[in-house]
């Protein structure tokens, strides 16, 4: 159960040095500014807490008085809020004009005075002056930093204090007492918690919003919510339908918000937000997940090397080395390393709408099983690929393809923003179960190849790797062993598969025509689509045309093309007919044969011998 694992994750966070999680009266929220005020409530200093520069400034996380989340209406927060609640003004994001927000500041002042009503703290009077002087403070903000008025949460500090106001002991005590009285005055609904089975536990009515999920509102959205009577049952309203205790509601929402705010535990992929962690929270092992799922541009070191040949199966005894191998699409020899069997890996894929969060996929398994499944994927999709080893040298390696590369390659010109968000679910599931890859992705890749056949990038390592992997699994899981064995990493000259061999011939015909015309024309752009789907209608003409090109080149005494003519003849011995139509998997075999033969043509004799 997802929420149960998140509750356990919170318990791990409490004992972790890496994560600082709040108690039930506080929450970690994104803060942009810290403003210092004097005892008259006037601003003396504005500090921009955001990291970075320009439009890429990032807010920081601060432990502030608990915020349950707001989606609409006026709802102030205690001692951590934006300009319209603290100063009664904000800059409209569309018109860029200063807008009055009198109701917001009035509600904020009333909340602060109510919380501190029975407190003898000096901060009550100072905050009252602060709200009363909002017009004066507005002028100070305009002079010091108008960015404050554009949005972003603000925390307050009294001049000469070391801590912010919300961190002061008497203020924290007053806020805790306010929340306690608030809950005591609410008629409590008790029941059995569905997460851990606790009986007679107070049930949460409204769950805290989750922030940072792609597609959701900037103010957050809920993963558990009932906002219409049609979703309710047995006379229960809102969160009472889910029967989750207030304690566990706090734990799972706090843990998920913390993971979403920590760069090391989440990433965005094809419009989805992916959260990941392990039972060994904060350990280096967790970085295996993004290493597998996401493409990272190779960074050269001071010697201009990317380390392409440094990480192989020899001496892989550290997680760092495993991560390096997985980043490069290589398999890891699990038998030669000692993995902690007790470590479980968790991957949660999320996507949001304005007010709701949807679960795309959920994966839980041991670290060892996760690596074995990635090995299986890389083994099925691996092809030879030329990799830069240093500034001058290249090596050929057998590497598979990572998840993000597959998703990008099915879109026009490989633009990741155009990737269908729903496909990641079926693709991820197939990889982590060892099942057949989604035929929808396979067909989309064939479609992109045909549509972009005139482009050099149309038939590339990523696309062919997936085609090869799809065919490999499709034949294996359908007990077609003979066909599975014909799906190879590199050129298979012994293949008797008609589609594969016609793909090889097409690559040679392309080479002959390009050299005959000095690269002015390319049959791939004009004929690839029909040759790979209806070969009978096109191959006789292409072979006749090739004889014309060979005769033309032979006038220049180029013996190389006599060799190609001979190879075509040898391949045709395994082609007893030109089929009228190729099936879906035969079209893939055609493209694979074309790719293998083209790579063989353009690989030098020296590289073939060395690799």
């Amino acid at each position: 159960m997802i929420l149960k694992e998140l509750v356990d994750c919170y318990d791990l966070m409490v004992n972790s040095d890496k994560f600082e999680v709040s108690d039930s009266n506080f929450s970690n929220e994104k803060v942009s500014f810290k403003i210092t005020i004097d005892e008259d409530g006037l601003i003396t200093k504005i500090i921009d807490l955001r990291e970075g520069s320009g439009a890429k400034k990032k807010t920081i996380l601060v432990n502030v008085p608990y915020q349950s989340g707001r989606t609409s209406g006026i709802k102030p927060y205690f001692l951590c809020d934006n300009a319209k609640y603290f100063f009664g003004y904000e800059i409209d994001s569309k018109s860029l004009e200063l807008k009055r927000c009198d109701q917001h500041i009035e509600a904020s002042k009333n909340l602060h005075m109510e919380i501190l009503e029975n407190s003898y703290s000096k901060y009550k009077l100072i905050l009252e002056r602060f709200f009363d002087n909002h017009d004066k403070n507005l002028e100070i903000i305009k002079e010091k930093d108008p960015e404050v008025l554009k949005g972003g949460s603000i925390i307050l500090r009294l001049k000469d204090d070391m801590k912010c106001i919300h961190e002061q002991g008497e203020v924290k005590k007053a806020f805790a007492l306010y929340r306690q009285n608030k809950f005591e005055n609410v008629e409590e609904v008790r029941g059995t918690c569905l997460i851990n089975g606790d009986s007679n536990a107070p049930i949460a009515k409204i769950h805290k919003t989750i922030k940072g999920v792609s597609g959701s509102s900037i103010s957050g959205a809920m993963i558990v919510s009932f906002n219409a009577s049609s979703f309710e049952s047995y006379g229960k309203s809102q969160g009472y339908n889910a029967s989750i205790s207030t304690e566990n509601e706090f734990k799972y929402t706090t843990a998920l918000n913390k993971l979403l705010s920590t760069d090391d535990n989440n990433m965005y992929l094809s419009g989805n937000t992916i959260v990941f962690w392990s039972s060994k929270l904060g350990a280096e092992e967790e970085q295996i997940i993004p290493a597998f799922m996401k493409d990272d541009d190779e960074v050269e070191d001071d010697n201009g090397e990317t380390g392409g040949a440094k990480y192989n199966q020899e001496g892989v005894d550290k997680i760092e080395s495993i991560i390096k191998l997985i980043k490069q699409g290589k398999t890891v020899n699990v038998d030669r390393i000692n993995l902690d069997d007790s470590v479980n890996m968790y991957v949660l894929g999320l996507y949001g709408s304005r007010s709701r969060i949807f679960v795309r996929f959920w994966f839980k398994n041991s670290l060892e099983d996760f690596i074995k499944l990635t090995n299986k994927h890389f083994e099925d999709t691996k092809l030879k690929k030329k990799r830069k080893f240093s500034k001058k040298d290249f090596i050929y390696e057998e590497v598979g393809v990572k998840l993000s590369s597959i998703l990008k390659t099915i879109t026009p010109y490989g633009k990741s923003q155009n990737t269908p968000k729903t496909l990641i679910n079926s693709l991820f599931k197939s990889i982590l179960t060892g099942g057949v890859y989604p035929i929808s992705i396979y067909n989309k890749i064939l479609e992109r190849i045909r549509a972009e056949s005139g482009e050099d990038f149309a038939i590339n390592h990523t696309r062919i790797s997936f085609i090869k992997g799809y065919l490999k699994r499709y034949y294996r899981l359908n007990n077609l062993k003979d066909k599975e064995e014909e799906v190879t990493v590199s050129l298979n000259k012994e293949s008797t598969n008609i589609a594969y061999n016609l793909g090889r011939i097409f690559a040679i015909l392309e080479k002959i025509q390009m050299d005959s015309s000095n690269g002015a024309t390319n049959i791939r752009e004009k004929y690839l689509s029909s040759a790979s789907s209806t070969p009978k209608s096109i191959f006789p003409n292409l072979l006749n045309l090739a004889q014309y090109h060979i005769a033309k080149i032979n006038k220049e005494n180029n013996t190389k093309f006599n060799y190609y003519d001979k190879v075509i003849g040898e391949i045709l011995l395994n082609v007893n007919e030109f089929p009228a139509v190729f099936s879906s998997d035969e079209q893939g075999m055609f493209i694979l044969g074309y790719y293998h033969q083209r790579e063989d043509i353009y690989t030098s004799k020296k590289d073939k011998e060395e690799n």
Side-chain angles (χ1 to χ4, degrees):
M1 185 179 180
I2 298 172
L3 300 187
K4 170 67 167 61
E5 300 300 346
L6 286 169
V7 168
D8 292 344
C9 181
Y10 174 86
D11 293 334
L12 291 172
M13 287 178 174
V14 171
N15 299 312
S16 170
D17 294 332
K18 179 180 178 180
F19 295 92
E20 293 182 9
V21 289
S22 54
D23 60 32
S24 59
N25 288 322
F26 281 76
S27 58
N28 289 296
E29 306 294 341
K30 294 178 180 180
V31 177
S32 299
F33 301 95
K34 179 163 69 175
I35 291 180
T36 302
I37 59 176
D38 60 22
E39 294 195 353
D40 293 323
L42 295 174
I43 295 174
T44 61
K45 188 177 183 181
I46 298 175
I47 300 175
D48 191 338
L49 299 175
R50 295 173 297 176
E51 299 171 343
S53 59
K56 295 184 178 181
K57 282 186 176 181
K58 292 181 64 176
T59 55
I60 67 167
L61 283 176
V62 178
N63 204 26
V64 299
Y66 183 79
Q67 297 182 2
S68 59
R70 56 189 174 212
T71 55
S72 62
I74 297 174
K75 184 180 179 181
Y77 293 139
F78 185 59
L79 289 173
C80 178
D81 220 321
N82 56 41
K84 64 182 177 183
Y85 283 96
F86 276 171
F87 307 111
Y89 293 92
E90 72 169 349
I91 294 176
D92 187 88
S93 59
K94 294 181 180 178
S95 65
L96 301 180
E97 294 180 355
L98 194 63
K99 183 174 69 174
R100 289 181 67 92
C101 306
D102 293 335
Q103 291 180 315
H104 293 78
I105 190 172
E106 182 181 356
S108 185
K109 179 182 177 181
N110 291 339
L111 174 69
H112 284 76
M113 294 304 102
E114 181 184 356
I115 292 173
L116 298 172
E117 182 179 5
N118 297 318
S119 172
Y120 295 100
S121 170
K122 64 180 180 180
Y123 296 105
K124 178 184 176 183
L125 179 59
I126 292 170
L127 287 171
E128 186 175 7
R129 292 169 181 166
F130 170 74
F131 285 109
D132 291 340
N133 287 325
H134 64 276
D135 286 326
K136 292 181 180 179
N137 282 328
L138 175 65
E139 298 305 316
I140 297 173
I141 290 172
K142 288 179 179 178
E143 180 183 343
K144 288 182 176 291
D145 192 351
E147 285 282 321
V148 172
L149 300 171
K150 292 182 179 180
S153 293
I154 303 161
I155 53 177
L156 303 173
R157 182 179 73 90
L158 181 63
K159 186 180 178 182
D160 298 328
D161 278 358
M162 295 296 292
K163 296 180 179 179
C164 290
I165 295 177
H166 71 271
E167 297 174 305
Q168 302 298 330
E170 64 264 42
V171 175
K172 292 170 69 175
K173 185 177 179 181
F175 182 67
L177 184 62
Y178 165 79
R179 278 177 54 81
Q180 181 182 338
N181 292 334
K182 184 178 178 182
F183 288 128
E184 286 178 353
N185 293 331
V186 175
E187 186 177 347
E188 202 171 65
V189 174
R190 289 182 171 268
T192 301
C193 178
L194 296 176
I195 291 180
N196 59 7
D198 284 350
S199 59
N200 199 32
I203 303 302
K205 182 180 181 181
I206 300 176
H207 292 221
K208 181 176 171 62
T209 55
I210 307 300
K211 298 180 180 179
V213 175
S214 177
S216 64
S217 169
I218 193 171
S219 59
M222 295 182 185
I223 199 167
V224 176
S225 68
F226 300 82
N227 58 359
S229 58
S230 58
F231 305 132
E232 299 173 350
S233 304
Y234 300 101
K236 296 181 179 181
S237 62
Q238 296 183 310
Y240 296 141
N241 288 273
S243 194
I244 295 173
S245 69
T246 54
E247 179 185 6
N248 286 328
E249 178 272 333
F250 168 77
K251 285 184 175 182
Y252 95 75
T253 55
T254 301
L256 185 51
N257 275 318
K258 192 67 178 179
L259 292 169
L260 285 165
S261 64
T262 307
D263 291 341
D264 289 344
N265 291 91
N266 70 83
M267 62 184 176
Y268 294 91
L269 188 61
S270 299
N272 298 276
T273 300
I274 299 171
V275 182
F276 52 89
W277 70 98
S278 71
S279 56
K280 192 178 176 181
L281 196 63
E284 193 176 14
E285 285 89 337
E286 292 173 352
Q287 297 312 306
I288 289 174
I289 295 169
F292 169 69
M293 299 184 75
K294 197 171 183 180
D295 277 330
D296 295 315
D297 293 332
E298 291 185 339
V299 180
E300 295 181 355
D301 59 21
D302 294 336
N303 298 317
E305 297 181 349
T306 61
K310 290 185 177 180
Y311 294 93
N312 49 42
Q313 299 298 335
E314 298 298 328
V316 179
D317 55 356
K318 293 183 179 180
I319 295 298
E320 180 186 0
S321 298
I322 296 173
I323 292 172
K324 288 282 188 181
L325 284 169
I326 291 176
K327 276 187 174 183
Q328 294 174 10
K330 298 178 182 177
T331 56
V332 177
N333 191 336
V334 179
D335 296 332
R336 299 182 63 173
I337 55 178
N338 294 319
L339 292 173
D340 189 346
D341 293 337
S342 66
V343 177
N344 282 326
M345 310 295 285
Y346 307 93
V347 186
L348 176 61
L350 303 171
Y351 177 72
S353 66
R354 178 180 171 82
S355 58
R356 289 179 178 273
I357 293 173
F358 309 97
V359 175
R360 288 287 194 210
F361 54 83
W362 165 247
F363 169 79
K364 172 189 174 182
N365 215 328
S366 69
L367 172 63
E368 182 175 348
D369 284 343
F370 182 82
I371 293 177
K372 285 180 178 178
L373 288 166
T374 62
N375 277 348
K376 195 171 185 180
H377 167 71
F378 287 148
E379 185 67 32
D380 285 339
T381 61
K382 71 179 180 181
L383 287 174
K384 279 197 173 182
K385 185 178 182 181
K386 196 174 184 180
R387 188 189 293 275
K388 186 177 180 182
F389 173 61
S390 64
K391 286 183 177 180
K392 296 181 179 180
D393 300 316
F394 293 85
I395 57 172
Y396 283 85
E397 297 178 312
E398 292 182 359
V399 295
V401 62
K402 294 198 286 183
L403 189 141
S404 60
S405 297
I406 297 169
L407 292 171
K408 282 193 293 185
T409 199
I410 63 177
T411 62
Y413 302 98
K415 294 182 178 179
S416 57
Q417 62 266 34
N418 297 330
T419 306
K421 297 179 178 62
T422 54
L423 288 179
I424 188 174
N425 183 17
S426 54
L427 176 59
F428 194 67
K429 183 179 179 180
S430 66
I431 291 173
L432 296 182
T433 59
V436 178
Y437 297 114
I439 192 171
S440 56
I441 295 180
Y442 173 78
N443 286 334
K444 278 184 177 292
I445 288 178
L446 292 179
E447 178 185 316
R448 292 314 324 154
I449 289 174
R450 288 192 289 265
E452 299 166 355
S453 58
E455 306 288 351
D456 290 338
F457 58 78
I459 299 179
N460 55 48
H461 178 271
T462 299
R463 288 176 173 173
I464 307 306
S465 288
F466 184 82
I467 288 174
K468 183 231 173 191
Y470 173 85
L471 294 170
K472 196 85 172 171
R473 289 197 178 188
Y474 175 79
Y475 291 143
R476 181 193 309 139
L477 296 176
N478 284 282
N479 297 317
L480 301 171
K481 187 175 180 181
D482 290 343
K483 288 190 174 184
E484 181 195 353
E485 290 176 351
E486 289 192 331
V487 183
T488 55
V489 174
S490 54
L491 182 63
N492 181 8
K493 295 181 179 180
E494 306 303 318
S495 175
T496 58
N497 185 285
I498 292 176
Y500 182 85
N501 283 313
L502 287 181
R504 289 185 61 195
I505 291 173
F506 190 83
I508 297 172
L509 296 178
E510 177 190 45
K511 172 65 174 174
I512 292 171
Q513 186 189 41
M514 286 187 68
D515 284 14
S516 170
S517 62
N518 294 319
T521 57
N522 188 333
I523 64 170
R524 186 180 70 234
E525 181 177 5
K526 188 174 181 180
Y527 297 113
L528 178 66
S529 178
S530 54
S532 61
S533 55
T534 56
K536 188 174 183 178
S537 67
I538 198 70
F539 262 96
N541 291 334
L542 287 178
L543 289 170
N544 288 333
L545 188 63
Q547 295 306 312
Y548 165 78
H549 292 303
I550 292 173
K552 178 182 175 183
I553 297 169
N554 281 341
K555 291 180 181 180
E556 303 171 3
N557 296 319
N558 195 327
T559 57
K560 175 174 63 174
F561 289 92
N562 289 325
Y563 164 76
Y564 286 139
D565 194 22
K566 178 184 175 183
V567 172
I568 291 175
E570 291 174 350
I571 298 173
L572 284 172
L573 292 175
N574 291 318
V575 179
N576 53 21
E577 64 172 340
F578 295 123
V581 178
F582 275 151
S583 63
S584 177
D585 61 299
E586 288 173 332
Q587 290 178 42
M589 286 299 295
F590 179 95
I591 298 296
L592 181 64
Y594 168 83
Y595 179 83
H596 280 163
Q597 187 64 59
R598 190 182 68 173
E599 291 297 296
D600 184 77
I601 289 171
Y602 291 103
T603 301
S604 67
K605 185 177 180 180
K606 178 183 176 183
D607 286 338
K608 289 178 184 178
E609 292 173 351
E610 291 179 353
N611 295 281

